[in-house]
Amino acid sequence: MARCPLHMDVRLFIKKVADNRLDEAFKTLALIIPFPGILGRICDHPCEAVCRRIEAGGTINISALEKTIVLRSRTTKPPTVLPRKEKKAAVIGSGLSGLTCALDLLKKGYAVTILEAAEVLGGDLWEIPRAVLSREVILQETGMIEQLGASVSLREPMETVGWLEGKIPLFDAVYIGLDSKAVRGLLPGITRLPPDPLTLMTNRTGLFLGGTDVSSPVNLAAQGRKAAVSIDRYVQKVSLTAGREKEGPYETKLYTSLNGVKHTAPVPENNAFSGYTDTQAQQEAARCLQCQCMECVKACLYLERFKSYPKTYLRQIGSSDTIVLGSHSQGNRLINSCSLCGLCGEICPNKVSMVPVCLEGREALVQKGRMPPSAHDLALQDLASANSEKAAVARHEPGRNESSLVLFPGCQLGAIDPEHVSRLYRLLRTRYEKGVGLMLRCCGVPAKWAGRDDLFQESLASLKHEWTRLACPTMIIACPTCYQTLEEHLPQARLVGLWDVLNDLGISPGRAPKMTSGPLAVHDPCSTRHRPEIRRSARRFLTALGYDLEELTLSGNLTECCGYGGLMSSANPPLAQDVAKRRATLTKIDFVTYCAMCRNALAATGKRVYYMLDLILENPEIDPAERRPVGYSERHENRYRLKDRLMRNLWGEKERAVEESEKILLIMSEDVATRLEERRILHEDIRTIIDRAERSGEKLHNTRLGRWVAQSRPRHITYWVEYSPEGNGFRVHNAYSHRMEIGKGATT
């Protein structure tokens, strides 16, 4: 399509033929090609030279397919024309370029006069052998010009330039087509300079010249079309050059992989003049690869689910006001569902990535006040939890006033497996003599992913303050996403990866018994895509422990996201679950990963997954690969308990004062607990609602079931809880949320 001077949709045309929709194939041809009965028989088909099939058996015989379709099709229907304009244009010479120019101007509503020296329209078309192009077809196709209202003047005396000079002032614009013998005789006296190649305008204002490439019928038609565009712009007094870079043939960036494509030879024609039978045409068309890149769509479930490809998405997000303003729910979902992992840009031959445009789209939604709270509310609560006074820690090693190193495990390791943080910190303290501090908090990246740069900068400033207060020690980073974030946004800090530290400490196979005798498939977190040193360090660690490793289909710089990145799991939970499931089913062997959140997301699919610290810190009597995933509520509580335990056991501080709502014991079935997790309702919010209802008496009683119902709106969302007293706690029967507000005057 890019190489075709007229940009005929070759792929769609061939698809119609392959599907035996031959009448539709002709309509596809006639939609773009002027005079398809003529051009379909004589086109020189430059498109065939760049057909990808040429490398896998031979180019598609597009010439024969077009010939077959036009030979079996009825007369071309005259196109629809716009209302007639007052402006007049003349076309001198009725070769293929002049006829095309006249046809396009007629469709635009111009009054067109064709001046021809011969007795019939067609110019050099009459010199084509009858076996290729019959006289009847020429007359039939060119007859459409008069049907559309063109004024045709034949046998014009074109021997002198004076004749031409007398005609030009009669029209608003004039096109001269040189693909007609009589017109070519006028050339020496027409213009002193060749026409502009982009617009075909000569040095005479309003005079356009084309039809020079007589060896290529399709180029002649393209020149006529280009002239019609230029005349229309000239008459309307607008730019003749703006936005015309891709008129005519151009180089495309489309990439189509030939991996797995079988070599298949072209179907031979019966003869050069009659083309194929219908059956043969279908067989030849079926060889078409239906070229499209889609390499990123094949690898990314997010791109696949929205049923298009990045160029379309980028246009939607970047150009659609309804989406940017947030009034289009599908657009918001598109913007917020991307994991921001960057795999698309890595796979794309042209490095097109969804990451920057989705981030900018989220920031625009936030700035316009149109970001749906439901998209990222829970993730931002999780960030607030990790950085709250209940969970955050920034301390030197107990008994020391300075630290050469500080362990920064990230917000999710302590939330998912607090024991790993305790044991890891103990291990590091025993191995380093100069002191190892501890920082428990979030790096702030969830706020960045949510388009909340204000919250991200606030979180980053707080982190920097605490790190500076510890005298800027080297940070041991366990979380790959934290490493990526701090490397970019806290460049003054010296960072070292946890696995480099453990490798340097010489963690030997004797430190812990092997968890499995079989191989492990390494899942690389997507945040290590451009950090090969972290990936190598992790593999070195695993190899030192004696494990055989298997590389997944997409790993290293082409690794897939687990479904958590970019807050996909918050904005589009079903998609995130499917992303994790697809990743988990790449191989039947156990996974191992060095991201706590990846481990959690993949384990939620039922996959056996080890976190790398499981291999040296876990109780050997427990199979850590079978550990269940940890939900949002439990993560919050794990962080709080971890800090309380560390403060008490290491720094000898009293336990913090527990709020009254935290003392409430919640009792619920596994089904209810699962429902709350799916609905993203936190246990701490339920405790707060019950505590408030019990203290204030603002609750409703369901007399039929004997249960209480209470509601609260702590942030952007209203929560409802159905509960009843049980023993020394409360049984939660159900809970749900919505974004409506309950007014003060509401009645029940």
Side-chain angles (χ1 to χ4, degrees):
M1 184 175 179
R3 182 59 60 91
C4 172
L6 295 169
H7 304 318
M8 201 269 282
D9 194 340
V10 184
R11 183 174 60 185
L12 179 61
F13 168 75
I14 297 177
K15 182 71 166 60
K16 301 285 190 185
V17 177
D19 293 343
N20 197 29
R21 293 184 285 174
L22 305 185
D23 290 339
E24 292 181 32
F26 181 77
K27 290 178 182 177
T28 301
L29 188 69
L31 183 66
I32 301 297
I33 300 297
F35 311 104
I38 293 175
L39 203 51
R41 287 172 165 87
I42 66 172
C43 182
D44 46 304
H45 297 90
C47 54
E48 291 185 4
V50 293
C51 173
R52 292 287 283 141
R53 250 297 176 188
I54 201 169
E55 300 175 37
T59 183
I60 302 298
N61 197 338
I62 303 168
S63 173
L65 291 175
E66 287 193 12
K67 194 184 309 171
T68 300
I69 295 304
V70 299
L71 283 171
R72 70 178 299 283
S73 300
R74 303 245 192 305
T75 306
T76 307
K77 293 182 180 180
T80 303
V81 299
L82 295 175
R84 181 60 61 90
K85 295 180 172 68
E86 295 182 0
K87 301 295 183 179
K88 298 183 295 183
V91 172
I92 299 175
S94 65
L96 191 52
S97 77
L99 290 171
T100 302
C101 181
L103 177 64
D104 283 7
L105 289 173
L106 286 165
K107 290 193 290 185
K108 294 175 186 291
Y110 286 90
V112 176
T113 297
I114 299 178
L115 304 171
E116 170 59 57
E119 297 183 355
V120 289
L121 296 178
D124 291 354
L125 293 174
W126 292 94
E127 298 181 8
I128 297 173
R130 290 174 179 268
V132 177
L133 182 63
S134 71
R135 315 297 90 164
E136 293 77 17
V137 170
I138 298 175
L139 292 171
Q140 178 180 294
E141 292 279 292
T142 58
M144 181 168 48
I145 291 289
E146 293 186 84
Q147 292 179 46
L148 293 177
S151 174
V152 176
S153 180
L154 303 173
R155 306 183 189 89
E156 284 284 341
M158 296 184 180
E159 292 83 2
T160 66
V161 175
W163 170 89
L164 178 62
E165 295 290 355
K167 295 294 182 181
I168 291 177
L170 303 178
F171 300 94
D172 295 290
V174 174
Y175 172 70
I176 300 175
L178 298 177
D179 48 328
S180 184
K181 284 184 179 179
V183 177
R184 286 197 287 273
L186 292 172
L187 181 59
I190 291 174
T191 177
R192 295 187 303 275
L193 297 172
D196 180 271
L198 181 62
T199 67
L200 300 185
M201 173 84 91
T202 68
N203 61 318
R204 290 278 298 268
T205 303
L207 180 63
F208 299 82
L209 185 67
T212 55
D213 190 359
V214 293
S215 64
S216 171
V218 70
N219 276 332
L220 289 176
Q223 286 188 340
R225 179 153 292 170
K226 177 180 287 189
V229 171
S230 294
I231 288 172
D232 184 41
R233 291 187 176 199
Y234 168 75
V235 171
Q236 294 189 65
K237 295 182 171 56
V238 297
S239 171
L240 266 67
T241 59
R244 302 185 69 175
E245 296 80 8
K246 289 191 176 181
E247 279 187 17
Y250 65 91
E251 292 298 321
T252 175
K253 293 182 178 180
L254 177 66
Y255 170 80
T256 300
S257 172
L258 294 180
N259 289 338
V261 175
K262 294 181 179 179
H263 283 237
T264 308
V267 176
E269 295 178 74
N270 288 333
N271 65 70
F273 302 119
S274 63
Y276 290 124
T277 65
D278 288 359
T279 300
Q280 289 173 331
Q282 291 172 55
Q283 292 172 344
E284 176 62 11
R287 297 178 60 245
C288 178
L289 303 176
Q290 286 295 299
C291 286
Q292 50 185 337
C293 183
M294 308 298 273
E295 293 301 302
C296 59
V297 178
K298 296 172 190 174
C300 175
L301 202 56
Y302 157 69
L303 294 175
E304 179 187 310
R305 284 292 166 84
F306 283 89
K307 302 185 184 305
S308 194
Y309 53 94
K311 185 176 180 180
T312 301
Y313 300 142
L314 298 181
R315 190 183 301 121
Q316 287 176 340
I317 295 171
S319 303
S320 174
D321 289 340
T322 59
I323 290 178
V324 171
L325 291 178
S327 58
H328 192 298
S329 60
Q330 176 72 356
N332 292 343
R333 201 164 179 81
L334 170 63
I335 290 170
N336 289 322
S337 294
C338 178
S339 68
L340 308 178
C341 75
L343 177 59
C344 52
E346 203 68 22
I347 287 180
C348 176
N350 299 302
K351 302 304 177 186
V352 176
S353 173
M354 293 291 291
V355 174
V357 74
C358 282
L359 272 175
E360 290 170 13
R362 294 179 193 186
E363 290 170 1
L365 288 173
V366 169
Q367 291 166 7
K368 297 288 185 180
R370 300 297 184 92
M371 175 65 80
S374 57
H376 304 125
D377 187 69
L378 195 62
L380 295 178
Q381 288 182 57
D382 201 48
L383 166 63
S385 159
N387 289 344
S388 69
E389 185 63 29
K390 294 180 182 179
V393 173
R395 295 290 184 100
H396 290 297
E397 183 175 324
R400 292 178 179 267
N401 295 320
E402 61 180 7
S403 303
S404 61
L405 300 166
V406 62
L407 172 62
F408 191 94
C411 62
Q412 296 302 335
L413 182 56
I416 292 170
D417 198 328
E419 282 302 311
H420 273 350
V421 174
S422 297
R423 292 171 182 168
L424 176 62
Y425 188 45
R426 185 187 312 125
L427 172 64
L428 294 175
R429 295 198 326 271
T430 61
R431 292 300 192 94
Y432 284 102
E433 297 179 355
K434 294 185 178 180
V436 181
L438 179 65
M439 286 187 71
L440 301 181
R441 62 179 303 113
C442 179
C443 67
V445 75
K448 185 174 180 63
W449 288 341
R452 292 293 305 273
D453 189 62
D454 56 333
L455 290 182
F456 176 63
Q457 294 301 332
E458 179 185 312
S459 176
L460 194 65
S462 178
L463 186 156
K464 183 179 178 181
H465 171 77
E466 293 298 299
W467 172 70
T468 303
R469 189 174 58 79
L470 296 179
C472 307
T474 296
M475 302 176 77
I476 301 174
I477 310 295
C479 171
T481 301
C482 291
Y483 198 107
Q484 180 185 44
T485 304
L486 297 178
E487 185 179 53
E488 180 178 355
H489 297 282
L490 194 65
Q492 62 269 47
R494 182 173 183 272
L495 311 179
V496 59
L498 173 62
W499 314 109
D500 281 330
V501 169
L502 295 182
N503 283 327
D504 290 345
L505 289 176
I507 301 299
S508 66
R511 288 283 304 178
K514 288 183 66 174
M515 295 291 176
T516 176
S517 59
L520 294 174
V522 183
H523 166 78
D524 292 304
C526 57
S527 51
T528 67
R529 188 178 312 288
H530 299 127
R531 285 161 180 79
E533 69 283 359
I534 295 179
R535 303 197 303 265
R536 287 193 296 267
S537 180
R539 284 163 174 76
R540 178 184 163 200
F541 177 80
L542 291 166
T543 302
L545 292 178
Y547 290 97
D548 296 324
L549 306 180
E550 179 179 296
E551 296 297 339
L552 294 170
T553 306
L554 291 175
S555 63
N557 68 317
L558 296 179
T559 191
E560 294 178 285
C561 182
C562 68
Y564 175 77
L567 305 185
M568 176 190 280
S569 59
S570 180
N572 197 333
L575 174 61
Q577 291 165 10
D578 289 344
V579 166
K581 286 177 185 175
R582 189 168 83 164
R583 183 67 171 170
T585 54
L586 285 177
T587 178
K588 293 183 178 180
I589 69 173
D590 294 354
F591 274 20
V592 62
T593 185
Y594 41 104
C595 169
M597 201 63 229
C598 287
R599 195 272 158 196
N600 206 58
L602 294 168
T605 70
K607 182 70 178 178
R608 285 177 51 83
V609 189
Y610 294 97
Y611 178 64
M612 283 195 355
L613 287 178
D614 293 339
L615 307 179
I616 60 169
L617 300 178
E618 190 60 58
N619 185 334
E621 297 179 1
I622 301 173
D623 185 353
E626 293 286 355
R627 287 201 325 272
R628 62 177 180 81
V630 180
Y632 276 100
S633 293
E634 190 176 353
R635 278 184 250 166
H636 287 212
E637 293 167 6
N638 280 345
R639 291 191 189 107
Y640 305 156
R641 285 195 290 265
L642 174 62
K643 178 178 179 178
D644 287 345
R645 188 168 63 250
L646 290 173
M647 292 298 102
R648 182 180 63 250
N649 296 341
L650 294 183
W651 284 279
E653 296 187 2
K654 294 181 180 179
E655 294 185 3
R656 65 180 176 86
V658 179
E659 298 173 9
E660 288 300 316
S661 62
E662 292 183 73
K663 299 175 184 178
I664 292 177
L665 173 65
L666 298 182
I667 306 165
M668 65 185 75
S669 67
E670 187 174 335
D671 287 344
V672 171
T674 300
R675 196 180 310 145
L676 297 185
E677 180 69 16
E678 291 173 349
R679 294 175 178 176
R680 305 303 201 250
I681 299 175
L682 298 173
H683 293 183
E684 59 192 85
D685 284 332
I686 291 178
R687 289 190 178 94
T688 300
I689 293 169
I690 293 176
D691 181 61
R692 176 176 173 273
E694 291 298 304
R695 288 174 178 273
S696 67
E698 294 180 4
K699 54 184 178 178
L700 303 174
H701 191 242
N702 185 326
T703 55
R704 183 173 62 86
L705 297 176
R707 298 172 182 173
W708 293 102
V709 180
Q711 64 87 21
S712 180
R713 187 180 173 86
R715 290 170 297 278
H716 305 288
I717 299 174
T718 299
Y719 295 93
W720 291 86
V721 180
E722 182 181 337
Y723 69 97
S724 59
E726 183 173 316
N728 59 348
F730 295 90
R731 177 167 289 278
V732 178
H733 301 282
N734 197 9
Y736 58 93
S737 64
H738 55 72
R739 284 186 283 169
M740 293 186 293
E741 294 188 50
I742 309 301
K744 292 182 179 180
T747 59
T748 59

